[in-house]
């Protein structure tokens, strides 16, 4: 303590002054900002207006402070490289909490903590945490400003990197403040890197704190995040708000906030279909969102790559929007041969985090090109050659870029009403058991498939890569309430749909491996062959074969033209091993048991039916 809280936000900086708007909602906002400032004691407050000039100044400042490296504009105009602290590279599920009043509302899959207890802890760590720094006030909208499915929020943060990232990932600025001023409800989010500066103390390139908390208050619709600068922990509009908090709002209002990409698939006749797909982090959402079909006549338009908000319409269909405005994508594995659309999207105006730096001032990561450049600076700033024996880019290195830069973004991707869904996919990373594609028999079976997804862990979260874990609906780390209730909510939403207009549900697995450990399916652009079958299937053009786990394609209906796929591999992609599936059913029962009375009876019925079918084989 000592230094007084600086609540005078009208410093003569020439920008970022407190808005001169009027309206009943603004008083509540400024009162809240003052309250957070009194706790965190920043030197300055900057109200972010979202202008290009403001963004330029912010980026320039970060370059001057050594927090960003400006890339060579000849190769990558308007682009920057950030290197995080080596310990602050991914989401931290063990430090992520749901602080609902009742423990039961957080459910068995979340870290629950009592709100009163964690508020005390947070008050302690946030006290003076912004000393010596600027506190930015960032009003943001998820979805087009004022849209019927949109929601707004405000993030207060002492991280300029977070501000620049939020500016790309959401719609920021004065238009949002006008909504707040007019009395629109908004969500409060507070973020501090937890590294106050003493007077005159020099800052470090990536301030963060060893102690970290990412806390959600579903009852008061608030997020408090402390100690981490990493996107998933610091861009609070994204996973924290648009998934954890929004899932709670959706539960109460009758809609769904999902960890899904959203695309429009156009068939050779020009007919359009909308597909949403839930895959766990680093399991192929961004890639499928930017799919370039390898089969002739098909086209894909990108609508979203990570989060989809879905609402039942009066017409008995589900309507979906992408609430985000940018992509926060995994860099490694993104290259000319896998995701050329992403590579083209990243031509400029991109913030890269933890990728490698080339001597010519451009970036590189594993998979961008087949061969590594002979000499690089790795993500930690060390000299690197292909002989170094370690990756040059961090496995969870990321790019942050505006969706509008995507060459195949749909013209109407910002449409406030959203698009009607025809297909929902659930998937994960499964080396064994789960076939390339499988159709659910009905909505309830589809919810069963979603609820039982398991997937091998990736570098997107802390922990052991490759370890199999349940990740229902790819929402394990992102559901803000009791996952058992969430399953029930999905069933309830299904009841609101017209039976002939509900999206059809499929499960996919691009990641099945042979005994030799190689992927059996070529994936990427060839995933269009699976989409093609799905679309012909929902159009009633092809039959499917019943199996104990769901409906499978007849091999002759898959378009495999031009694909060099050994027959043995094809068979293995669809092989169903009864013993393994019975064992998986036992594990599902154990998993379901953890939800106690919150597990919908319909899912127990589905499990019993699965076992019956397996035992009859
Ligand atoms: P997201 O985090 O869910 O958006 O996942 P990404 O689309 O960024 O992909 C994560 C990783 O999975 C990257 O290394 C991709 O190259 C890889 N990947 C994505 N799609 C496929 C696929 O169809 N097959 C294989 N083998 N790998 C894929
Ligand atoms: P993703 O999420 O891994 O699903 O792209 C980003 C993050 O929060 O780490
Ligand atoms: Mn992604």
């Amino acid at each position: 303590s000592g230094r007084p809280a600086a609540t005078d936000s009208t410093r003569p900086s020439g920008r970022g002054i407190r808005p001169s708007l009027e309206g009943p909602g603004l008083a509540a906002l400024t009162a809240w900002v003052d309250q957070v400032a009194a706790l965190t004691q920043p030197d300055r407050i900057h109200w972010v207006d979202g202008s290009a000039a403001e963004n330029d100044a912010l980026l320039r400042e970060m370059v001057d402070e050594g927090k960003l490296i400006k890339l060579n504009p000849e190769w990558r105009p308007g682009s920057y490289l950030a290197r995080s602290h080596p310990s602050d590279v991914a989401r931290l599920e063990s430090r992520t909490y749901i602080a609902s009043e009742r423990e039961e509302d957080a459910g068995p899959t979340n870290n629950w903590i009592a709100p009163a207890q964690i508020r005390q802890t947070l008050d302690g760590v946030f006290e003076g945490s912004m000393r010596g720094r600027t506190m930015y006030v960032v009003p943001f909208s998820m979805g087009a400003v004022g849209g019927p499915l949109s929601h707004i929020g405000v993030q207060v943060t002492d991280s300029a990197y977070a501000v620049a990232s939020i500016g790309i990932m959401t719609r920021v600025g004065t238009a949002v403040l006008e909504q707040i001023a007019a009395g629109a409800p908004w969500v409060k989010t507070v973020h501090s890197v937890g590294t106050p500066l003493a007077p005159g103390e020099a800052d470090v390139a990536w301030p963060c704190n060893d102690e970290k908390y990412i806390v959600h208050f579903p009852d008061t619709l608030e997020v408090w995040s402390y100690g981490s600068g990493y996107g998933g922990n610091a861009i609070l509009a994204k996973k924290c708000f648009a998934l954890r908090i929004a899932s709670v709002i959706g539960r109460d209002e009758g809609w769904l906030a999902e960890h899904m990409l959203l695309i429009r698939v156009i068939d050779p006749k020009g007919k359009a279909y909308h597909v949403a797909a839930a895959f766990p982090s680093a399991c192929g959402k961004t890639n499928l969102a930017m799919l370039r079909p390898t089969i002739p006549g098909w086209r894909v338009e990108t609508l979203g790559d990570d989060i989809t908000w879905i609402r039942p319409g009066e017409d008995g269909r589900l309507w979906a929007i992408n609430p985000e405005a940018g992509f926060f994508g995994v860099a490694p594995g993104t290259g000319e041969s896998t995701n050329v659309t992403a590579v083209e999207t990243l031509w400029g105006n991109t913030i890269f985090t933890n990728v490698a730096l080339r001597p010519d001032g451009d970036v590189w990561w594993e998979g961008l090109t087949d061969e590594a450049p002979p000499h690089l600076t790795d993500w930690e700033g060390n000299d690197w050659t292909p002989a170094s024996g370690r990756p040059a880019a961090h496995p969870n290195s990321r790019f942050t870029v505006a969706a509008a830069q995507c060459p195949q973004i749909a013209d109407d991707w910002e449409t406030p009403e959203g698009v009607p869904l025809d297909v929902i996919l659930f998937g994960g990373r499964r080396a064994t058991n789960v076939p390339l594609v499988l159709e659910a028999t009905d909505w309830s079976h589809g919810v069963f498939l979603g609820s039982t997804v398991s997937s091998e862990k990736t570098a997107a979260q802390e922990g052991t890569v490759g370890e199999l874990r349940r990740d229902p609906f790819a929402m394990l780390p992102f559901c803000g309430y009791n996952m058992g209730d969430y399953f029930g909510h999905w069933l309830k939403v299904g009841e609101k749909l017209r039976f002939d207009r509900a999206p059809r549900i499929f499960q996919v697995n691009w990641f099945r491996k042979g005994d030799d450990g190689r992927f059996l399916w070529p994936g990427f652009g060839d995933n269009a062959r699976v989409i093609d079958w799905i679309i012909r299937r929902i159009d009633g053009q092809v039959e499917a074969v019943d199996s104990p786990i769901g409906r499978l394609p007849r091999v002759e209906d898959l378009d495999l033209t031009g694909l060099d796929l050994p027959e043995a591999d094809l068979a293995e992609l669809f092989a169903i091993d009864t013993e393994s599936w019975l064992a998986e059913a036992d594990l599902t029962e154990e998993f379901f048991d953890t939800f106690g009375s919150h597990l919908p009876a319909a899912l127990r019925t589905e499990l019993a039916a699965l076992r019956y079918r397996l035992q009859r084989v």
Side-chain angles (χ1 to χ4, degrees), residues 90-91 230-233 238-239 259 279-282 285-286 305-306 328-330 396 398 458 460-461 478:
R91 281 182 292 100
Y230 172 74
N233 305 324
K238 193 172 171 58
K239 305 289 190 179
H259 191 202
F279 308 152
S281 292
K285 287 182 301 300
T286 301
D305 86 320
D306 195 49
F328 178 60
V330 179
N396 193 39
R398 297 274 173 161
T458 65
Q461 62 285 113
F478 306 120

Side-chain angles (χ1 to χ4, degrees), residues 279-287 305 330 332-333 429 510-511 519 523-524 527:
F279 308 152
S281 292
C283 292
K285 287 182 301 300
T286 301
N287 273 271
D305 86 320
V330 179
R429 229 174 236 274
W510 315 142
F511 299 96
F519 289 118
F524 303 104
N527 292 334

